[in-house]
Amino acid sequence: MLDFVIFAATFLLVLVGAVLYLYPASRQASGIPGLTPTDEKDGNLPDIIASGSLHEFLVHLHEKYGPVASYWFGRHLVISLGSIDVLRQHINPNRTCDPENPQQPVSQVSSIALKGNTIYLFIFLQIWAEIGKGFLDGSLDKSVTRKKMYENALMEMELVLKKVIKERQGRSFNRHIFIDSLLQGNQSDKQVLEDTMIFSLAGSIITAKLCTWAVYFLTSSKDVQQKLYKEMDQVLGKGPITCAKIEQLRYCRQVLCETVRTSKLTPIAAQLQELEGKVDQHIIPKETLVLYALGVVLQDSSAWPLPYKFDPDRFSDETAVKNLSLLGFSGSQECPELRFAYMVATVLLSVVVRKLHLHPVEGQVIDTKYELVTTPKEEAWITVSKRN
């Protein structure tokens, strides 16, 4: 149960860790260019740690070996894909049909009713800290104390959510929340719990960081900020925001899409190659972990002209929209956590931008920390002034 929850909460990223436990070690040669193991037991984990993060390691890997490259996570071969073209080739290579769409109506995703919020927040931070770092650099497995604390925190969170589910099950409430939507579906208790864990962990952190980066990037461009204000003033006027009006805020969605791209919000995803496959003339052995180096792809100049520039207008081009959809950040492949994050961020910006001018802090330089979700290494500051 816990292994799957970890997997779900990090949208396949924890497959990196799960493979180490669930599949036998593979030393099968792939013929794909890449690194040989630095350490017999840890593979290229020392190289990942030296690079500072898995994303930064992948940047260097693809710069050296091209869009299809390999390395070793412990004793397991990992193949990383780092361009739009090879990712397009690998979409669903092993299946004759797509899996069920797990999306839920976003209009009903309001909140999860939890008691003991302070304790819950502490548990949440414990879990996310280890998912974000301990699994990716292998350090969690090397500390019995940390691993025990992590497992205890995960079990505590599970108990809290089970209690909430039990309280809501088979009853009618005035306020409809996300768990109620899950309970109305034809799902097992286990599936309801797992879906709730996804939104509690991944949904919360993605939403928070999308809002952080969106506000920060808006301070860097007065023109973008003014264009967004004009759209919101035209669509919303002085009235409240509604689901119907959110759909009309097309430029706001472009701003959020460009925020996801520029910040490299979720820099990595993964998939297990169930059957032998082929990408760009390279054979991928079965039971190989295939990593999608999304952070590398999101700043690939062949897909995104001037990739380091924050430019929401690029998403007025259908090609850019399709590229982002291919990566799972929009369209039919968009994960439900990100769909929820887009809605919350739109509501936030509709309030902030209509009331305030956002200004940068002079001389501030923001360094980035790349884990499962990209965050500023230190607090990002802005200044504000009232709109007339």
Side-chain angles (χ1 to χ4, degrees):
M1 168 64 186
L2 293 182
D3 285 342
F4 184 82
V5 171
I6 297 166
F7 168 89
T10 59
F11 9 95
L12 304 183
L13 277 173
V14 162
L15 191 56
V16 174
V19 167
L20 295 179
Y21 297 100
L22 301 180
Y23 292 89
S26 171
R27 286 287 181 182
Q28 183 176 355
S30 66
I32 295 175
L35 296 174
T36 55
T38 302
D39 182 90
E40 178 65 26
K41 181 179 178 183
D42 292 336
N44 295 113
L45 282 177
D47 302 307
I48 296 173
I49 294 169
S51 296
S53 70
L54 181 55
H55 164 69
E56 290 161 301
F57 168 79
L58 293 175
V59 170
H60 299 314
L61 183 75
H62 286 290
E63 283 178 350
K64 185 172 183 179
Y65 295 105
V68 182
S70 64
Y71 70 96
W72 294 87
F73 191 89
R75 294 174 178 169
H76 298 262
L77 176 67
V78 180
I79 295 173
S80 179
L81 307 181
S83 77
I84 285 283
D85 182 54
V86 295
L87 283 175
R88 187 178 288 112
Q89 295 178 47
H90 194 257
I91 294 300
N92 241 359
N94 307 319
R95 295 173 172 80
T96 56
C97 63
D98 290 326
E100 288 187 21
N101 188 340
Q103 296 177 3
Q104 298 291 330
V106 179
S107 60
Q108 296 178 1
V109 183
S110 53
S111 65
I112 299 176
L114 293 172
K115 297 179 181 178
N117 287 333
T118 303
I119 296 175
Y120 179 78
L121 178 61
F122 176 72
I123 293 171
F124 169 87
L125 292 174
Q126 272 190 303
I127 295 170
W128 191 259
E130 292 297 3
I131 289 176
K133 182 172 176 59
F135 272 97
L136 294 187
D137 66 12
S139 62
L140 181 61
D141 243 9
K142 297 177 181 179
S143 171
V144 175
T145 302
R146 278 176 60 189
K147 189 170 184 179
K148 185 65 177 177
M149 289 178 64
Y150 167 76
E151 290 174 347
N152 287 342
L154 200 58
M155 285 189 287
E156 284 294 325
M157 183 176 181
E158 185 178 333
L159 288 173
V160 171
L161 294 177
K162 279 183 175 178
K163 184 178 180 181
V164 176
I165 291 169
K166 186 176 180 180
E167 290 175 352
R168 309 286 299 190
Q169 206 159 26
R171 299 175 63 187
S172 181
F173 295 88
N174 292 331
R175 188 180 182 189
H176 190 93
I177 65 173
F178 176 64
I179 289 178
D180 298 328
S181 296
L182 296 177
L183 291 172
Q184 288 174 2
N186 187 24
Q187 298 190 100
S188 65
D189 291 347
K190 177 183 176 182
Q191 189 63 52
V192 171
L193 177 62
E194 289 168 351
D195 288 348
T196 306
M197 292 286 281
I198 291 173
F199 274 82
S200 297
L201 287 167
S204 298
I205 195 70
I206 287 175
T207 301
K209 298 311 173 186
L210 176 61
C211 292
T212 298
W213 285 117
V215 171
Y216 173 73
F217 286 137
L218 283 174
T219 67
S220 68
S221 176
K222 290 183 179 179
D223 291 341
V224 172
Q225 192 178 152
Q226 186 61 22
K227 189 172 179 178
L228 180 59
Y229 169 77
K230 286 182 177 180
E231 179 186 68
M232 289 185 165
D233 186 53
Q234 180 180 355
V235 174
L236 304 177
K238 302 298 182 181
I241 192 167
T242 64
C243 290
K245 288 182 177 180
I246 284 178
E247 296 299 319
Q248 299 175 42
L249 295 171
R250 293 189 177 88
Y251 186 70
C252 182
R253 181 58 179 250
Q254 289 177 218
V255 168
L256 294 177
C257 286
E258 180 66 347
T259 297
V260 167
R261 192 201 66 80
T262 308
S263 68
K264 304 175 289 292
L265 189 66
T266 54
I268 307 156
Q271 178 176 329
L272 187 70
Q273 186 80 26
E274 296 173 358
L275 304 174
E276 184 180 279
K278 188 176 182 181
V279 172
D280 199 21
Q281 305 304 312
H282 296 291
I283 300 298
I284 301 179
K286 67 178 182 179
E287 295 185 356
T288 299
L289 181 66
V290 178
L291 211 65
Y292 294 169
L294 301 180
V296 176
V297 177
L298 287 169
Q299 297 200 329
D300 180 358
S301 59
S302 66
W304 318 98
L306 300 174
Y308 297 100
K309 181 182 179 182
F310 180 72
D311 180 17
D313 285 333
R314 75 174 74 243
F315 285 101
S316 60
D317 184 343
E318 188 61 28
T319 300
V321 175
K322 287 180 179 178
N323 285 343
L324 203 68
S325 178
L326 177 71
L327 303 180
F329 294 120
S330 66
S332 61
Q333 300 296 320
E334 183 178 278
C335 75
E337 297 89 349
L338 190 55
R339 188 179 293 266
F340 172 62
Y342 280 140
M343 175 168 281
V344 173
T346 301
V347 174
L348 172 71
L349 294 181
S350 75
V351 175
V352 172
V353 172
R354 282 192 290 170
K355 292 184 176 181
L356 301 171
H357 290 282
L358 308 176
H359 311 285
V361 172
E362 187 176 351
Q364 178 178 230
V365 177
I366 297 297
D367 291 325
T368 306
K369 180 168 64 175
Y370 299 104
E371 294 181 346
L372 298 182
V373 176
T374 302
T375 64
K377 281 187 178 179
E378 298 178 351
E379 190 66 63
W381 295 89
I382 65 170
T383 58
V384 299
S385 60
K386 273 190 174 183
R387 288 189 180 273
N388 295 329

